[in-house]
Amino acid sequence: MEGLLGAGTPVAPPLAARTVLAEARGRVRAGVHLVRYGARSLKVVDVDPDLPLAAVALVERHLHASAAGRLLLAAVPDWQLLPGTARLAAVTPATVTRVHRLDLLLDEVRAQGWAGQSGELHVGVACLAVPVLDASGGLVAAVAISSPRGEVPVECLDAARLCAAELAPLLS
């Protein structure tokens, strides 16, 4: 995940991107969502209508506790300067609230190329997020897959990566 973050305000996905998302939703038994990134924030721009996120605002506000938020934090060297990161709030008992622990998790995100979390935004709900990169390697979006089983849905990782690869030219 090299390069600068996409600039500008996140916008709704084009029809072609929504078609790619619909195809991905048909391949997995979990919620498939699209997140767009601005330079310092994220916005959920397409929520799976059949398996919606419980609270979009939590994903957008608590970057340290969401898989999509961790992709953004991992892409920013001075992540502690981003809005909402001065205090790592405990959204649930499982939420990471210590800077050192979050730094270790962000190192993992950078190394593996995707992020996951389990029970940090909602007890019993887990998510993974795969980056959608532009041609220069900048983070522009993420495919987020949520599951109510409480475990990071790693069995959906290949489908998420395929979806991200198909979305890259449509969202760059």
Side-chain angles (χ1 to χ4, degrees):
M1 293 186 306
E2 294 183 21
L4 298 175
L5 298 175
T9 303
V11 296
L15 177 60
R18 292 193 306 268
T19 300
V20 169
L21 290 166
E23 291 169 358
R25 290 171 180 144
R27 289 191 291 265
V28 300
R29 297 187 65 174
V32 178
H33 319 282
L34 180 65
V35 173
R36 293 295 305 257
Y37 295 99
R40 300 168 49 87
S41 64
L42 66 82
K43 181 161 181 59
V44 180
V45 295
D46 193 282
V47 175
D48 191 318
D50 296 322
L51 297 164
L53 294 168
V56 169
L58 290 179
V59 174
E60 295 175 348
R61 184 180 315 122
H62 298 287
L63 301 178
H64 67 290
S66 71
R70 288 183 182 162
L71 284 179
L72 176 61
L73 298 180
V76 178
D78 55 352
W79 66 264
Q80 293 169 331
L81 300 178
L82 291 176
T85 59
R87 183 178 160 273
L88 303 179
V91 183
T92 73
T95 307
V96 172
T97 58
R98 303 227 181 253
V99 170
H100 176 71
R101 174 74 178 121
L102 183 57
D103 277 333
L104 293 174
L105 289 171
L106 297 178
D107 287 343
E108 285 181 26
V109 169
R110 290 180 200 101
Q112 65 191 12
W114 61 277
Q117 66 82 16
S118 178
E120 294 190 52
L121 281 178
H122 300 284
V123 174
V125 178
C127 183
L128 68 79
V130 173
V132 177
L133 306 175
D134 64 18
S136 65
L139 181 64
V140 295
V143 175
I145 299 190
S146 61
S147 171
R149 293 177 315 171
E151 297 176 7
V152 176
V154 292
E155 71 279 3
C156 299
L157 188 55
D158 288 340
R161 286 180 171 147
L162 174 63
C163 184
E166 292 173 345
L167 287 170
L170 303 172
L171 300 176
S172 297

